[in-house]
Amino acid sequence: MKALVKSRLWVSLTAILAVGAPLFLASCSSSSDLATSPTTSSSDDVAATLMVSDQPIEKWQSEDNDALPLSPPTDPRGGKDSNGIHPSEPGRGMRPLPLPCLGLTPEQMQQILQFQAQLDSANKAAMAGIQEQLDAFRQQEQAAWETYRQATADQRQQLMELYNQFRQQVAEIRQSLRQGTISRDSARAILRQIAQDFMAARKAIIDSTADARAQLKAALDQIAEQRKALMDSIKPQLDANYRQFLSNVASILTPEQQAIWQRWLNGEDPCKGRGRRG
């Protein structure tokens, strides 16, 4: 069995991180966000929309929040399946163990839960050996983000003031239109011009943060590489822990259950079409 699973199965990072390693894995994925450029749209379309809605403004502000994030994006993580067993092989779509179609007895399920607890304990021990380094990486990331926030503080203030001014201008034009003091054509022409001026000023402010964003990206990328190397250093132990878990599960299965288990090890989904009950 060890030879069969060695090349393609290794322990769930969800299970590893659940024991207390709060990693900022979003660092690399956030790098692309840091290079976001303001959206440009047809000035006529924007002007027409601004006559009745703030939707373009809200969209631009959302883009700015992505382009100039104040903190790392939230890193969603998977949980456990309905039986309390951690999912396996996150790199292969978080394949769940084929427990629903094994026809396990209550005694077998209890044993598997014990095997899972043993796996978690072994992984926790492996993680404990590198926890101090992981904590140091986290502190380095926090410092990089703080440096970036300070470096872009003036630009954020400028953007806020620019948006406030633009919103006020748009509101005044809408009021004049409602009061009939200007025509729709005139309102659209004015909105088109102030929107163009606003977009140019907005882009200039965001462009001025390019160096700060590049420095943050470089720092986060370097930390991510170091963290990956550290995690790779304990991967053999994590692999061994997981293979032991699989071996333990296999040892309590009946011949009929073994056949289903083997299909799952081969990459199949033996529970397909049978539903997955808790």
Side-chain angles (χ1 to χ4, degrees):
M1 167 154 323
K2 292 184 178 180
L4 180 63
V5 302
K6 182 176 181 181
S7 64
R8 64 178 184 273
L9 297 180
W10 70 287
V11 69
S12 165
L13 286 179
T14 301
I16 300 170
L17 296 175
V19 301
L23 308 182
F24 280 78
L25 297 183
S27 300
C28 290
S29 62
S30 66
S31 298
S32 60
D33 296 335
L34 300 176
T36 302
S37 297
T39 292
T40 56
S41 304
S42 165
S43 57
D44 287 333
D45 292 343
V46 168
T49 304
L50 287 173
M51 291 176 69
V52 296
S53 171
D54 283 343
Q55 187 275 334
I57 303 176
E58 294 167 357
K59 180 175 182 293
W60 294 330
Q61 286 188 309
S62 177
E63 291 176 353
D64 292 349
N65 290 336
D66 290 338
L68 299 174
L70 282 171
S71 58
T74 301
D75 182 36
R77 300 192 184 282
K80 299 180 180 180
D81 68 17
S82 58
N83 294 297
I85 304 296
H86 298 303
S88 60
E89 292 193 287
R92 295 169 62 91
M94 299 295 288
R95 292 181 67 219
L97 297 172
L99 304 186
C101 54
L102 284 175
L104 297 168
T105 65
E107 292 75 18
Q108 286 177 314
M109 178 57 72
Q110 186 60 39
Q111 286 179 295
I112 292 178
L113 288 171
Q114 292 175 358
F115 295 150
Q116 178 70 65
Q118 294 170 4
L119 172 62
D120 289 346
S121 178
N123 289 339
K124 183 176 182 179
M127 292 296 297
I130 63 171
Q131 190 60 55
E132 185 175 343
Q133 292 166 278
L134 291 173
D135 291 342
F137 290 148
R138 181 179 182 180
Q139 293 172 2
Q140 292 170 19
E141 285 178 325
Q142 291 174 335
W145 277 97
E146 182 58 29
T147 297
Y148 161 77
R149 283 189 287 265
Q150 293 180 9
T152 58
D154 288 345
Q155 288 90 338
R156 295 175 195 282
Q157 181 64 30
Q158 293 169 20
L159 274 174
M160 183 170 60
E161 294 173 356
L162 181 65
Y163 271 101
N164 289 339
Q165 179 185 25
F166 183 55
R167 284 181 179 275
Q168 181 63 32
Q169 290 174 324
V170 171
E172 290 174 355
I173 294 169
R174 287 179 187 163
Q175 183 177 12
S176 296
L177 182 60
R178 287 193 299 269
Q179 293 174 345
T181 57
I182 60 174
S183 67
R184 293 186 63 84
D185 288 343
S186 295
R188 180 175 297 185
I190 297 172
L191 286 171
R192 182 188 306 116
Q193 184 59 55
I194 65 173
Q196 290 175 347
D197 294 342
F198 165 78
M199 290 296 290
R202 172 184 172 235
K203 183 177 184 302
I205 293 173
I206 293 178
D207 286 349
S208 70
T209 67
D211 287 345
R213 288 184 281 121
Q215 291 173 11
L216 175 62
K217 180 182 183 302
L220 296 180
D221 286 348
Q222 181 179 15
I223 296 169
E225 290 178 3
Q226 294 173 337
R227 179 185 289 112
K228 181 180 183 301
L230 181 62
M231 293 300 297
D232 286 346
S233 71
I234 66 167
K235 182 177 179 295
Q237 182 60 56
L238 301 178
D239 286 341
N241 294 345
Y242 190 55
R243 289 196 299 271
Q244 183 62 55
F245 169 74
L246 296 179
S247 179
N248 290 342
V249 173
S251 70
I252 66 170
L253 301 180
T254 66
E256 292 77 11
Q257 292 170 332
Q258 285 275 7
I260 296 173
W261 182 251
Q262 189 62 51
R263 289 177 55 198
W264 180 80
L265 290 177
N266 291 338
E268 299 179 41
D269 181 5
C271 298
K272 187 176 182 180
R274 302 191 188 189
R276 293 189 179 275
R277 300 180 299 276

